[in-house]
Amino acid sequence: MKNNKQCGLFLMFCFLSITSGFSQVLVKRQVTLMGSVFEITLVDRDSSIANQHIDEVISEIDRIENLISEWRPQTQIAEVNRNAGIKPMKVDREVFELTQRAIKYAQNSDGAFDISIVALDKVWLFDGSMTTMPAEEVIKNSVAKVGYKHIRLDSAASTIFLELPGMKIGFGSIGKGYAADRGRQIMKEKGIVAGIVNASGDLSAWGNPPNSDAWKIGVNNPFKPHRMVKVLRFNEMSVATSGSYEKYAEINGKRYAHIINPVTGYPATGLTSVTIYGPSAEIANALSTSIMVLGEREGKKLIQQFPAYHYIFITDQGKVIRQR
């Protein structure tokens, strides 16, 4: 599991309008946050008010990044990582509960999802230069500092302790989905009737755009450029896609995804793209990443535990598998 995700989604909507006797405008803005391009779209009374609300969404996402980024040295997660193998670190309840949920996702997927994957040794190259497999011992050693079972939580003290020196945790796999969900939540609390918080393909939407009864999200087919597998029509829903169609290694005719199995250290194989849609972008994030690692058969078993979520898989051979 690695936090580089390809979106595979195409948003389709129109601008402008007059609905139900009052004017509505659709305003969108792009900004780089959490190392990704966020596109925030709001339906509001006028563009000035919409932009003020977009500023509030941006502030919320930046607040989250300043709590959970493993790259910003002042964050609580960076402090947890610096004290791996030394001592537990107290964190805000929000950070504690996000970590708690991440461990639950790891348990549900038998370790296919693991926020400690950031401690992985980089033994695979996905720039086209790798033509032979790394040695088995090298691959095995690459996950020596990885393992969610070594993350110790103390709920009463609100602390996180990483048992292994050199161990690290990071939220690249679900952090953007969590931020998208939070952006939607605070806008709904303010009475904003519709919008989308899109974190490079991990998105949360609500309401409907002007002059339409639903948002439309097209799921791309990586094997057939400019063709869509499906157009999703929805009001309140979240979508996340994990894929390997731009970053992979091909060795002896077999494709190895850039998404690494945290248990074995080997890249995922079998699936090129996994799109999950349902109520929460965070959960859809966790499921899409897990299923890329687990593959089609085990992935279907996993998602059966989440009846509110649906899937579109595309195999390495280009076969499209959709939930009926």
Side-chain angles (χ1 to χ4, degrees):
M1 185 190 80
K2 201 174 179 181
N3 69 1
N4 192 338
K5 296 165 73 71
Q6 308 297 332
C7 71
L9 304 176
F10 181 71
L11 275 65
M12 301 170 287
F13 44 74
C14 19
F15 299 74
L16 193 64
S17 109
I18 299 205
T19 308
S20 303
F22 60 90
S23 64
Q24 290 182 314
V25 295
L26 187 153
V27 177
K28 64 178 179 177
R29 192 193 310 169
Q30 286 190 347
V31 61
T32 299
L33 297 159
M34 305 180 91
S36 298
V37 176
F38 275 69
E39 184 172 82
I40 301 158
T41 303
L42 295 181
V43 177
D44 216 327
R45 297 192 302 275
D46 62 55
S47 59
S48 176
I49 294 172
N51 275 298
Q52 290 175 27
H53 286 136
I54 288 173
D55 287 341
E56 292 180 33
V57 176
I58 291 170
S59 293
E60 174 66 2
I61 297 167
D62 190 55
R63 182 192 69 81
I64 292 168
E65 186 170 13
N66 279 319
L67 283 175
I68 67 171
S69 171
E70 73 264 30
W71 302 109
R72 294 185 177 182
Q74 78 279 13
T75 72
Q76 294 181 14
I77 291 301
E79 190 70 10
V80 168
N81 290 342
R82 279 193 293 271
N83 284 277
I86 301 171
K87 61 181 179 179
M89 296 304 299
K90 186 175 177 61
V91 298
D92 289 358
R93 201 67 197 174
E94 179 180 9
V95 176
F96 182 89
E97 290 176 355
L98 182 62
T99 306
Q100 199 171 41
R101 293 197 300 275
I103 291 173
K104 184 65 175 176
Y105 302 144
Q107 292 169 339
N108 289 338
S109 65
D110 291 326
F113 178 94
D114 194 329
I115 56 171
S116 70
I117 192 71
V118 292
L120 178 81
D121 288 341
K122 307 301 187 288
V123 301
W124 298 89
L125 300 174
F126 300 102
D127 57 5
S129 64
M130 178 170 266
T131 56
T132 58
M133 296 284 285
E136 187 174 337
E137 191 67 18
V138 170
I139 297 170
K140 180 181 177 181
N141 290 337
S142 72
V143 293
K145 305 290 186 184
V146 177
Y148 73 91
K149 293 179 182 178
H150 295 289
I151 305 171
R152 297 297 179 192
L153 303 182
D154 184 328
S155 184
S158 194
T159 59
I160 303 173
F161 178 50
L162 309 182
E163 292 183 322
L164 306 178
M167 192 176 177
K168 296 178 183 178
I169 58 173
F171 290 93
S173 50
I174 57 170
K176 292 190 293 295
Y178 172 63
D181 287 344
R182 279 291 303 156
R184 174 176 63 185
Q185 180 181 340
I186 65 172
M187 288 296 97
K188 287 182 65 179
E189 288 170 355
K190 286 186 171 290
I192 307 306
V193 296
I196 297 178
V197 182
N198 179 7
S200 294
D202 300 329
L203 61 88
S204 288
W206 72 103
N208 54 274
N211 294 330
S212 178
D213 62 355
W215 298 103
K216 298 176 185 177
I217 308 290
V219 180
N220 292 333
N221 187 334
F223 293 96
K224 296 178 181 178
H226 312 300
R227 292 191 62 182
M228 289 179 224
V229 173
K230 184 178 179 66
V231 175
L232 303 175
R233 292 174 51 88
F234 56 80
N235 301 115
E236 181 143 345
M237 191 180 287
S238 297
V239 185
T241 294
S242 293
S244 65
Y245 39 88
E246 289 184 359
K247 294 187 71 175
Y248 59 90
E250 195 162 311
I251 302 171
N252 299 326
K254 187 173 184 178
R255 178 183 291 214
Y256 294 88
H258 71 275
I259 298 172
I260 304 295
N261 185 324
V263 178
T264 66
Y266 281 84
T269 59
L271 294 174
T272 293
S273 174
V274 173
T275 296
I276 304 295
Y277 51 102
S280 162
E282 178 193 315
I283 295 175
N285 252 183
L287 288 171
S288 67
T289 304
S290 301
I291 292 168
M292 278 294 297
V293 171
L294 291 170
E296 177 189 345
R297 183 176 175 183
E298 294 304 313
K300 285 180 178 178
K301 291 180 183 178
L302 173 63
I303 203 167
Q304 285 174 1
Q305 301 176 41
F306 298 83
Y309 292 80
H310 305 275
Y311 61 81
I312 301 171
F313 302 163
I314 301 176
T315 71
D316 288 349
Q317 291 74 42
K319 181 183 177 182
V320 178
I321 303 163
R322 286 181 283 192
Q323 197 159 10
R324 300 300 178 188

